[in-house]
Amino acid sequence: MIDVRALRENPEPARASQRARGADETLVDQIIEADARRRSALQEFEQLRATQKDVSKSVGKASPEERPAVLAKAKELAEQVKAAEARSNEAGAEADRLARLLPNLILDGVPTGGEEDFVVLRHEGGDPRDFAAEGFEPQDHLALGEGLGAIDVKRGAKVSGSRFYYLTGVGARLELAFMTMAMDQAVATGFTPMMTPTLVTPAVMGGTGFLNEHSDEIYYLPADDLYLTGTSEVALAGYHADEILDLSGGAKRYLGWSTCYRREAGSAGKDTRGIIRVHQFNKVEMFSFCRPEDAEEEHARFIGWEEEMLRKVELPYRVIDTAAGDLGTSAARKFDCEAWLPTQERWMEVTSTSNCTTFQARRLGIRERREDGQMYPVATLNGTLATTRWIVAILENHQQADGSVRVPEALRPYLGGLEVLTPLA
């Protein structure tokens, strides 16, 4: 949630943010007007309640002749106070509803536009391989995975339907290898590892900003009034909900390892082959609670840690600055790392890191008491450190002519020293 007081004092940054996102900037004025109605209704209620208290106190002091009129006045005021309280609550609820519709304000420098308007910041990891020069046509990750006995989508579909799969044999080992490597790296840099819940309450899901225009992507269990999470960011953000943190010693950093669930609504026909876009996958996610003035530096650290992992698995990748219209509700800025996908000759997102500034913390009631004794909302950041989709990039980029796959050197200790994944006989 945004700071309504700041919005009231200077609405132009919010209007500019909405324009950059391609969203409705009149929402800003609706919020300001609703907030004015809320404050007016609250003032009316408090004035009437104060008058009611004064009249009630005067009953005992009134003469027998005056008392009936005073009691009648007190009764009339009680009804007025009750009605004013209802109007105040209604105005407050509407102001809160509208305020929660406004996405986070983007930071200076975020590109304007939609999904295709990102800015490429740099290319890393060397040039993509020239398979033609090597004398063979590359296989896609599913053909490689089936040959290695690593991926089984046919039985996944038989058991659960489309966009489900099994990781089998070396496929299961490979995922566990780079996920464990990610956890080791994060622990070495001060993160606390956590296995998080994958079911959360509406308050936590809404507090992180996911119950908005993308809510159709989320699995909901009505019998339990719980949501399946599409990222451990949700559970990690909710970990300190309604708490007061001590950040005097620096950021609190957590690493969530969880299974994630996404309905992939609206993705019919997109990435239907293999395991690029699926309903269930695993992910290791970085999360940080820090002071707002430290958030941009923390964001730079997050992208650095993501790139360190991509160097370890020896992938050619690029870093993009995501355009405003492609940001999630909570993100004020987002950087993605995209690995090269040889068989499709395109870049595929493999990591993402977002600076959510104080947006989630305000909604979840997460604050810090500073040295001056005052309470301030904290900033939250998240970032992918490894996920199932990496198997796609690793298999395709490190394949060899005979269908085997070279194991990146940094991964070998996590696979028992295995240097090459060989096809089944």
Side-chain angles (χ1 to χ4, degrees):
M1 183 181 293
I2 40 77
D3 182 347
V4 177
R5 179 182 297 177
L7 184 74
R8 190 167 64 234
E9 294 173 352
N10 183 14
E12 186 50 38
R15 293 193 185 108
S17 179
Q18 286 291 89
R19 287 195 297 271
R21 285 178 176 268
D24 181 11
E25 64 179 287
T26 65
L27 176 59
V28 176
D29 297 306
Q30 294 176 42
I31 294 169
I32 293 172
E33 291 165 6
D35 179 62
R37 290 192 294 270
R38 176 193 64 79
R39 288 183 291 118
S40 176
L42 181 60
Q43 183 180 32
E44 179 192 14
F45 164 62
E46 290 177 341
Q47 288 175 343
L48 280 170
R49 186 170 58 178
T51 302
Q52 179 197 23
K53 287 181 178 179
D54 290 341
V55 171
S56 296
K57 289 178 182 177
S58 69
V59 171
K61 301 175 183 178
S63 66
E65 295 79 11
E66 297 171 329
R67 187 165 297 170
V70 175
L71 286 171
K73 181 64 174 176
K75 182 178 179 182
E76 179 185 354
L77 280 168
E79 293 174 353
Q80 292 177 359
V81 166
K82 184 177 179 180
E85 183 179 23
R87 288 193 296 273
S88 177
N89 290 340
E90 183 178 347
E94 176 63 6
D96 183 67
R97 183 188 72 82
L98 287 170
R100 285 178 172 268
L101 293 178
L102 186 68
N104 200 358
L105 274 59
I106 64 170
L107 295 173
D108 290 341
V110 171
T112 297
E115 184 177 358
E116 302 302 322
D117 297 308
F118 58 83
V119 172
V120 178
L121 300 179
R122 58 185 178 274
H123 286 80
E124 302 287 350
D127 294 329
R129 286 172 62 188
D130 184 350
F131 286 94
E134 295 182 33
F136 74 98
E137 183 77 18
Q139 300 183 66
D140 73 8
H141 73 281
L142 182 56
L144 290 163
E146 288 176 338
L148 295 168
I151 303 172
D152 191 335
V153 296
K154 293 178 182 177
R155 290 185 175 88
K158 178 179 70 174
V159 170
S160 302
S162 63
R163 298 188 189 274
F164 285 94
Y165 59 96
Y166 285 87
L167 292 182
T168 57
V170 74
R173 292 182 64 197
L174 179 60
E175 181 182 73
L176 189 60
F178 61 71
M179 297 275 282
T180 304
M181 185 168 69
M183 177 171 281
D184 284 351
Q185 176 182 298
V187 169
T189 50
F191 283 80
T192 299
M194 303 181 76
M195 301 294 188
T196 64
T198 57
L199 285 165
V200 299
T201 65
V204 172
M205 185 65 83
T208 50
F210 283 91
L211 294 183
N212 48 33
E213 69 273 15
H214 299 298
S215 60
D216 60 348
E217 293 286 342
I218 303 170
Y219 286 104
Y220 175 59
L221 283 65
D224 305 285
D225 194 24
L226 293 171
Y227 290 91
L228 279 167
T229 57
T231 168
S232 60
E233 169 195 344
V234 180
L236 293 170
Y239 186 67
H240 285 303
D242 300 315
E243 293 183 19
I244 299 169
L245 305 184
D246 178 5
L247 300 179
S248 59
K252 287 187 177 294
R253 300 185 182 118
Y254 300 100
L255 188 82
W257 182 325
S258 74
T259 300
C260 307
Y261 304 89
R262 297 184 186 176
R263 292 187 61 238
E264 292 294 345
S267 65
K270 296 179 182 177
D271 295 317
T272 56
R273 179 173 167 81
I275 61 170
I276 295 176
R277 193 184 294 268
V278 292
H279 293 309
Q280 176 183 326
F281 56 95
N282 294 315
K283 184 152 70 86
V284 171
E285 182 85 356
M286 299 179 288
F287 198 89
S288 176
F289 298 92
C290 71
R291 290 182 169 176
E293 61 267 29
D294 298 330
E296 289 197 56
E297 287 186 11
E298 185 79 338
H299 202 193
R301 282 188 283 267
F302 269 39
I303 188 68
W305 285 320
E306 291 179 343
E307 291 190 69
E308 184 179 345
M309 277 293 297
L310 291 172
R311 287 192 294 271
K312 288 176 179 176
V313 293
E314 303 173 27
L315 294 177
Y317 67 92
R318 69 179 185 181
V319 182
I320 67 168
D321 193 353
T322 306
D326 199 29
L327 294 176
T329 299
S330 299
R333 188 166 210 165
K334 180 165 76 79
F335 300 118
D336 288 349
C337 290
E338 300 180 328
W340 180 247
L341 194 57
T343 60
Q344 295 187 26
E345 297 187 334
R346 69 175 177 92
W347 299 96
M348 177 187 70
E349 179 194 326
V350 285
T351 77
S352 178
T353 177
S354 297
N355 179 359
C356 297
T357 60
T358 61
F359 186 85
Q360 293 177 327
R362 288 180 185 278
R363 296 162 74 105
L364 291 167
I366 308 170
R367 299 165 293 166
E368 179 197 14
R369 191 188 303 278
R370 295 285 188 98
E371 291 77 3
D372 61 5
Q374 299 298 309
M375 298 285 227
Y376 299 90
V378 304
T380 60
L381 299 96
N382 63 79
T384 312
L385 206 53
T387 187
T388 301
R389 185 182 285 189
W390 283 32
I391 292 173
V392 176
I394 290 171
L395 294 184
E396 291 206 11
N397 281 281
H398 296 306
Q399 65 179 291
Q400 302 181 106
D402 62 357
S404 64
V405 175
R406 186 183 67 83
V407 177
E409 190 171 342
L411 265 183
R412 293 173 187 174
Y414 295 92
L415 285 167
L418 198 60
E419 298 182 5
V420 177
L421 310 180
T422 56
L424 300 178

